[in-house]
PDB file of all heavy atoms in Angstrom:
ATOM      1  N   LEU A 225      18.004  24.869 -21.669  1.00 80.00           N
ATOM      2  CA  LEU A 225      19.431  25.106 -21.763  1.00 80.00           C
ATOM      3  C   LEU A 225      20.015  24.235 -22.934  1.00 80.00           C
ATOM      4  O   LEU A 225      20.946  24.611 -23.621  1.00 80.00           O
ATOM      5  CB  LEU A 225      20.105  24.709 -20.536  1.00 80.00           C
ATOM      6  CG  LEU A 225      19.884  25.683 -19.412  1.00 80.00           C
ATOM      7  CD1 LEU A 225      20.418  25.218 -18.060  1.00 80.00           C
ATOM      8  CD2 LEU A 225      20.430  26.992 -19.728  1.00 80.00           C
ATOM      9  N   LYS A 226      19.427  23.008 -23.109  1.00 83.00           N
ATOM     10  CA  LYS A 226      19.811  22.138 -24.203  1.00 83.00           C
ATOM     11  C   LYS A 226      19.542  22.760 -25.579  1.00 83.00           C
ATOM     12  O   LYS A 226      20.319  22.696 -26.430  1.00 83.00           O
ATOM     13  CB  LYS A 226      19.168  20.804 -24.100  1.00 83.00           C
ATOM     14  CG  LYS A 226      19.755  19.626 -25.101  1.00 83.00           C
ATOM     15  CD  LYS A 226      19.184  18.429 -24.854  1.00 83.00           C
ATOM     16  CE  LYS A 226      19.727  17.372 -25.848  1.00 83.00           C
ATOM     17  NZ  LYS A 226      19.695  17.748 -27.253  1.00 83.00           N
ATOM     18  N   ARG A 227      18.319  23.350 -25.656  1.00 86.00           N
ATOM     19  CA  ARG A 227      18.047  24.006 -26.972  1.00 86.00           C
ATOM     20  C   ARG A 227      19.027  25.130 -27.185  1.00 86.00           C
ATOM     21  O   ARG A 227      19.419  25.518 -28.285  1.00 86.00           O
ATOM     22  CB  ARG A 227      16.523  24.471 -26.876  1.00 86.00           C
ATOM     23  CG  ARG A 227      15.577  23.372 -27.122  1.00 86.00           C
ATOM     24  CD  ARG A 227      14.157  23.934 -27.411  1.00 86.00           C
ATOM     25  NE  ARG A 227      13.728  24.701 -26.284  1.00 86.00           N
ATOM     26  CZ  ARG A 227      12.981  24.280 -25.437  1.00 86.00           C
ATOM     27  NH1 ARG A 227      12.500  23.090 -25.269  1.00 86.00           N
ATOM     28  NH2 ARG A 227      12.432  25.273 -24.406  1.00 86.00           N
ATOM     29  N   GLN A 228      19.178  25.970 -26.102  1.00 85.00           N
ATOM     30  CA  GLN A 228      20.124  27.071 -26.307  1.00 85.00           C
ATOM     31  C   GLN A 228      21.491  26.738 -26.636  1.00 85.00           C
ATOM     32  O   GLN A 228      22.189  27.344 -27.476  1.00 85.00           O
ATOM     33  CB  GLN A 228      20.076  27.848 -24.869  1.00 85.00           C
ATOM     34  CG  GLN A 228      20.877  29.205 -24.999  1.00 85.00           C
ATOM     35  CD  GLN A 228      20.861  29.874 -23.653  1.00 85.00           C
ATOM     36  OE1 GLN A 228      20.145  29.583 -22.696  1.00 85.00           O
ATOM     37  NE2 GLN A 228      21.566  31.003 -23.667  1.00 85.00           N
ATOM     38  N   TRP A 229      21.970  25.629 -26.015  1.00 83.00           N
ATOM     39  CA  TRP A 229      23.337  25.078 -26.254  1.00 83.00           C
ATOM     40  C   TRP A 229      23.317  24.708 -27.802  1.00 83.00           C
ATOM     41  O   TRP A 229      24.260  25.028 -28.500  1.00 83.00           O
ATOM     42  CB  TRP A 229      23.710  23.919 -25.425  1.00 83.00           C
ATOM     43  CG  TRP A 229      25.111  23.542 -25.519  1.00 83.00           C
ATOM     44  CD1 TRP A 229      26.172  24.063 -25.026  1.00 83.00           C
ATOM     45  CD2 TRP A 229      25.553  22.384 -26.383  1.00 83.00           C
ATOM     46  NE1 TRP A 229      27.280  23.315 -25.419  1.00 83.00           N
ATOM     47  CE2 TRP A 229      26.944  22.388 -26.170  1.00 83.00           C
ATOM     48  CE3 TRP A 229      24.834  21.499 -27.214  1.00 83.00           C
ATOM     49  CZ2 TRP A 229      27.650  21.358 -27.000  1.00 83.00           C
ATOM     50  CZ3 TRP A 229      25.642  20.533 -27.912  1.00 83.00           C
ATOM     51  CH2 TRP A 229      26.983  20.539 -27.726  1.00 83.00           C
ATOM     52  N   ASP A 230      22.230  23.926 -28.206  1.00 85.00           N
ATOM     53  CA  ASP A 230      22.235  23.556 -29.646  1.00 85.00           C
ATOM     54  C   ASP A 230      22.235  24.730 -30.716  1.00 85.00           C
ATOM     55  O   ASP A 230      22.892  24.691 -31.670  1.00 85.00           O
ATOM     56  CB  ASP A 230      21.024  22.642 -29.933  1.00 85.00           C
ATOM     57  CG  ASP A 230      21.050  21.383 -29.146  1.00 85.00           C
ATOM     58  OD1 ASP A 230      22.198  20.860 -28.826  1.00 85.00           O
ATOM     59  OD2 ASP A 230      20.004  20.699 -28.879  1.00 85.00           O
ATOM     60  N   MET A 231      21.489  25.697 -30.197  1.00 86.00           N
ATOM     61  CA  MET A 231      21.483  26.969 -31.001  1.00 86.00           C
ATOM     62  C   MET A 231      22.795  27.649 -31.122  1.00 86.00           C
ATOM     63  O   MET A 231      23.157  28.195 -32.137  1.00 86.00           O
ATOM     64  CB  MET A 231      20.278  27.911 -30.484  1.00 86.00           C
ATOM     65  CG  MET A 231      18.846  27.410 -30.761  1.00 86.00           C
ATOM     66  SD  MET A 231      17.755  28.572 -29.902  1.00 86.00           S
ATOM     67  CE  MET A 231      18.013  30.128 -30.778  1.00 86.00           C
ATOM     68  N   GLU A 232      23.448  27.681 -29.983  1.00 82.00           N
ATOM     69  CA  GLU A 232      24.731  28.340 -29.900  1.00 82.00           C
ATOM     70  C   GLU A 232      25.700  27.492 -30.799  1.00 82.00           C
ATOM     71  O   GLU A 232      26.499  28.085 -31.645  1.00 82.00           O
ATOM     72  CB  GLU A 232      25.292  28.295 -28.474  1.00 82.00           C
ATOM     73  CG  GLU A 232      24.558  29.336 -27.692  1.00 82.00           C
ATOM     74  CD  GLU A 232      25.080  30.825 -27.984  1.00 82.00           C
ATOM     75  OE1 GLU A 232      26.092  30.924 -28.419  1.00 82.00           O
ATOM     76  OE2 GLU A 232      24.129  31.711 -27.935  1.00 82.00           O
ATOM     77  N   GLN A 233      25.636  26.187 -30.754  1.00 82.00           N
ATOM     78  CA  GLN A 233      26.472  25.402 -31.548  1.00 82.00           C
ATOM     79  C   GLN A 233      26.278  25.596 -33.065  1.00 82.00           C
ATOM     80  O   GLN A 233      27.197  25.753 -33.808  1.00 82.00           O
ATOM     81  CB  GLN A 233      26.360  23.838 -31.290  1.00 82.00           C
ATOM     82  CG  GLN A 233      26.870  23.490 -29.934  1.00 82.00           C
ATOM     83  CD  GLN A 233      28.383  23.779 -29.756  1.00 82.00           C
ATOM     84  OE1 GLN A 233      28.837  24.631 -29.063  1.00 82.00           O
ATOM     85  NE2 GLN A 233      29.284  23.037 -30.560  1.00 82.00           N
ATOM     86  N   ARG A 234      24.964  25.686 -33.420  1.00 84.00           N
ATOM     87  CA  ARG A 234      24.549  25.922 -34.836  1.00 84.00           C
ATOM     88  C   ARG A 234      25.056  27.275 -35.287  1.00 84.00           C
ATOM     89  O   ARG A 234      25.417  27.517 -36.331  1.00 84.00           O
ATOM     90  CB  ARG A 234      22.973  25.831 -35.019  1.00 84.00           C
ATOM     91  CG  ARG A 234      22.557  24.320 -34.902  1.00 84.00           C
ATOM     92  CD  ARG A 234      21.167  24.223 -35.496  1.00 84.00           C
ATOM     93  NE  ARG A 234      20.210  25.046 -34.892  1.00 84.00           N
ATOM     94  CZ  ARG A 234      19.470  24.649 -33.823  1.00 84.00           C
ATOM     95  NH1 ARG A 234      19.665  23.366 -33.344  1.00 84.00           N
ATOM     96  NH2 ARG A 234      18.596  25.352 -33.121  1.00 84.00           N
TER      97      ARG A 234
END
Side-chain angles (χ1 to χ4, degrees):
L225 289 176
K226 186 177 184 302
R227 286 195 300 269
Q228 184 178 354
W229 187 84
D230 291 339
M231 289 174 61
E232 286 290 326
Q233 290 301 111
R234 287 197 299 271

